[in-house]
Amino acid sequence: MNTFDATLAQTATAGKRTGRIRQKNEELILSAAAEEFARYGYKGTSMNAIALRAGLPKANLHYYFTNKLGLYVEVMRHILELWDNAFDHLTVDDDPAIALAAYIRTKMEFSRRQPQASKIFAMEVISGCECLSAHFNEDYREWFRGRAAVFQAWSDAGKMDPVDPMHLIFLIWASTQHYADFSDQIRRITGQRRVTRDDFARGTETLTRVILKGCGLQLPG
Amino acid sequence: MNTFDATLAQTATAGKRTGRIRQKNEELILSAAAEEFARYGYKGTSMNAIALRAGLPKANLHYYFTNKLGLYVEVMRHILELWDNAFDHLTVDDDPAIALAAYIRTKMEFSRRQPQASKIFAMEVISGCECLSAHFNEDYREWFRGRAAVFQAWSDAGKMDPVDPMHLIFLIWASTQHYADFSDQIRRITGQRRVTRDDFARGTETLTRVILKGCGLQLPG
DNA sequence: CAAGAAGCTGACCAGTTGCTTAGGTTTTGC
DNA sequence: GCAAAACCTAAGCAACTGGTCAGCTTCTTG
């Protein structure tokens, strides 16, 4: 059992007693922590900065969370819960074009509405996945192979071109998460104050068109 | 003139006198700094960590570089020099399929050989481009529009499908840089010690095939 | 070979880091 | 309405942060 597992179990059991105030403040702290971690990564974020953003004294954070790592792990846990669910909906029986278009749309919506989650995840991976090492275990690899198998089945059935499933998944992940992680580059290129809803719409449309056609699929609807 | 410009000019003029020892040590420090910044970002990296990696006393770093920001800016400058050159080679007169395939290949080679540069850039953008704010100026936007115009011209000439140039560029950047920035996730999914040359080859092949076909282009050669 | 330039670094500084503790206040359940 | 549980936080800890500086050694050059 590594650091991640240990801290996870610890915080999980600690969550038994959920006082009203506790729940409110934990959410407040987690939210502030997410914003800081998304911008500065684990090492670059200070407990003081989180406390200031949350509007609470620093010592209060240590009342609710054992330590900085525990807080970080909890933030990461919240993200991972949402993260993979959307992908689970793709099944062999789906129509590839419709399912793929829906998945791209869902990922883009996620980038638009939860950019912080994507950024924290990105920073964690770039930094070497120290905290996520437990997440990327044999179970995860099994899950990933299952997801890739869906694309493989579609190819084998002649429903789409024979495209390496793993790299196709990377292509989709990279191109959609880009709109969250690199939003600052995008808004500076477009010269806008922020990436607009319209940018996301056009991005979704372009990605869907290029990727689907690139896999030999007809645009649905 | 902002912080970036100021520090840039400062270091540029300071580079006039290039003693033999100076050049050797500056490279040593820049290399060590790049590794640390790539993993922990600007705020998360300490001068001490860089010094340890370089095998030099901390005070020595401050002999060659005015301060932490100056060192960071210098690292970033080295990256930006390489960064955009490959993209400048695409011109309207090129054959779209050949040029695009070559660009994807070049970007993937860059991800394979200079993953640190990509990671530092990614971290900087995720962190809000504070240091790059000077880089993403009107000149840069002009340059970007020029690059996008190439794709637009190809579309207008009927050489490829009418695909939004900006989002196509983002698609290529995201999917290729992914192999550098997210290499740790990839190697954990594949269960390997590191991302292999073969992974890069298959990735390049998949990206080229999907993106070109997705733009209505025939694979060259 | 001498003297000035370049290179080097231990010791130190003020400020910040994550975290603890002791002793308080407020809320809750009976 | 009272005791126990939950909640709160000022003050302070050792370790570390970026950065300075005085005085040293090594190199270069006439």
Side-chain angles (χ1 to χ4, degrees):
Chain A
M1 188 182 248
N2 60 25
T3 318
F4 184 85
D5 278 334
T7 320
L8 202 81
Q10 197 178 349
T11 0
T13 50
K16 269 192 304 189
R17 306 205 173 281
T18 52
R20 193 174 47 81
I21 301 171
R22 174 170 216 101
Q23 194 169 351
K24 185 195 66 180
N25 279 344
E26 279 186 356
E27 273 172 31
L28 187 68
I29 295 166
L30 283 169
S31 166
E35 290 202 44
E36 290 295 321
F37 284 136
R39 200 171 167 87
Y40 301 112
Y42 177 69
K43 278 191 75 175
T45 296
S46 75
M47 293 297 275
N48 194 34
I50 297 170
L52 280 173
R53 188 181 284 273
L56 294 172
K58 194 175 52 160
N60 206 341
L61 309 205
H62 285 97
Y63 174 71
Y64 289 109
F65 298 91
T66 52
N67 52 28
K68 187 183 174 185
L69 184 62
L71 176 52
Y72 181 69
V73 166
E74 199 60 22
V75 168
M76 194 64 75
R77 210 172 58 80
H78 275 66
I79 293 169
L80 294 178
E81 267 178 24
L82 302 165
W83 207 252
D84 300 325
N85 288 351
F87 203 10
D88 282 326
H89 295 329
L90 273 80
T91 63
V92 187
D93 301 326
D94 288 327
D95 174 73
I98 294 171
L100 214 56
Y103 183 55
I104 291 169
R105 177 173 301 278
T106 304
K107 286 285 287 179
M108 284 293 276
E109 278 294 289
F110 198 86
S111 281
R112 188 172 67 84
R113 289 206 283 234
Q114 312 261 13
Q116 280 167 10
S118 185
K119 284 185 176 187
I120 294 170
F121 184 82
M123 282 225 163
E124 169 67 15
V125 172
I126 293 173
S127 299
C129 298
E130 258 175 70
C131 249
L132 285 174
S133 56
H135 181 250
F136 293 127
N137 53 18
E138 186 50 45
D139 280 355
Y140 180 84
R141 282 192 286 276
E142 186 63 36
W143 170 83
F144 185 87
R145 278 194 293 270
R147 299 291 86 208
V150 173
F151 290 96
Q152 193 60 55
W154 285 339
S155 296
D156 294 343
K159 292 179 181 172
M160 62 178 277
D161 288 356
V163 176
D164 188 310
M166 184 175 82
H167 294 285
L168 176 58
I169 292 168
F170 292 159
L171 168 59
I172 297 169
W173 283 355
S175 57
T176 53
Q177 285 164 211
H178 183 85
Y179 286 83
D181 304 341
F182 287 73
S183 60
D184 236 84
Q185 185 186 18
I186 294 174
R187 76 172 179 81
R188 284 186 142 91
I189 282 174
T190 55
Q192 296 159 160
R193 205 173 52 78
R194 50 189 294 278
V195 180
T196 64
R197 204 174 285 255
D198 197 56
D199 292 326
F200 275 98
R202 285 173 194 273
T204 305
E205 199 255 320
T206 305
L207 289 186
T208 307
R209 184 191 299 194
V210 172
I211 294 174
L212 261 65
K213 180 166 183 177
C215 294
L217 295 167
Q218 296 273 346
L219 271 168
Chain B
M1 188 182 248
N2 60 24
T3 318
F4 184 84
D5 278 334
T7 319
L8 201 83
Q10 195 177 348
T11 1
T13 50
K16 270 193 301 189
R17 306 206 172 282
T18 51
R20 192 176 47 82
I21 302 172
R22 174 170 217 100
Q23 194 169 351
K24 185 195 67 180
N25 279 345
E26 279 186 355
E27 274 172 30
L28 185 68
I29 294 166
L30 283 170
S31 166
E35 291 201 45
E36 290 295 322
F37 285 136
R39 200 171 167 86
Y40 301 112
Y42 176 70
K43 278 192 74 174
T45 296
S46 75
M47 293 297 276
N48 193 35
I50 298 171
L52 281 171
R53 188 180 284 273
L56 294 172
K58 192 178 55 156
N60 206 343
L61 308 205
H62 285 96
Y63 173 72
Y64 288 109
F65 297 91
T66 53
N67 52 26
K68 187 182 172 183
L69 185 62
L71 176 52
Y72 181 69
V73 166
E74 199 59 22
V75 168
M76 195 64 76
R77 210 173 58 81
H78 275 66
I79 292 170
L80 294 178
E81 267 178 24
L82 302 165
W83 208 251
D84 301 326
N85 288 352
F87 203 9
D88 282 327
H89 295 328
L90 273 79
T91 63
V92 187
D93 300 326
D94 288 328
D95 174 72
I98 293 170
L100 214 55
Y103 183 56
I104 291 170
R105 176 172 302 278
T106 304
K107 286 286 288 178
M108 284 293 276
E109 277 295 287
F110 199 85
S111 281
R112 189 172 67 83
R113 290 207 282 235
Q114 311 260 13
Q116 279 167 11
S118 185
K119 285 184 177 188
I120 295 170
F121 185 83
M123 281 229 168
E124 169 67 14
V125 173
I126 293 173
S127 300
C129 299
E130 259 175 68
C131 248
L132 285 174
S133 56
H135 181 251
F136 292 126
N137 53 19
E138 186 49 44
D139 281 354
Y140 180 84
R141 282 192 286 276
E142 185 65 35
W143 169 85
F144 185 87
R145 279 193 293 270
R147 299 291 86 206
V150 173
F151 291 96
Q152 193 60 54
W154 284 339
S155 296
D156 293 344
K159 291 180 182 172
M160 63 178 276
D161 290 356
V163 176
D164 188 308
M166 184 175 83
H167 294 285
L168 177 58
I169 292 168
F170 292 159
L171 168 59
I172 296 169
W173 283 355
S175 57
T176 53
Q177 287 168 31
H178 184 85
Y179 287 84
D181 304 341
F182 288 72
S183 61
D184 236 84
Q185 184 185 18
I186 294 174
R187 76 172 179 82
R188 284 185 142 91
I189 282 174
T190 56
Q192 295 159 160
R193 205 171 54 77
R194 49 189 296 276
V195 181
T196 64
R197 202 173 286 254
D198 197 56
D199 292 326
F200 275 97
R202 286 175 194 271
T204 305
E205 200 256 321
T206 304
L207 289 186
T208 307
R209 184 191 300 195
V210 173
I211 294 173
L212 260 64
K213 181 167 183 177
C215 295
L217 295 167
Q218 296 272 347
L219 270 168

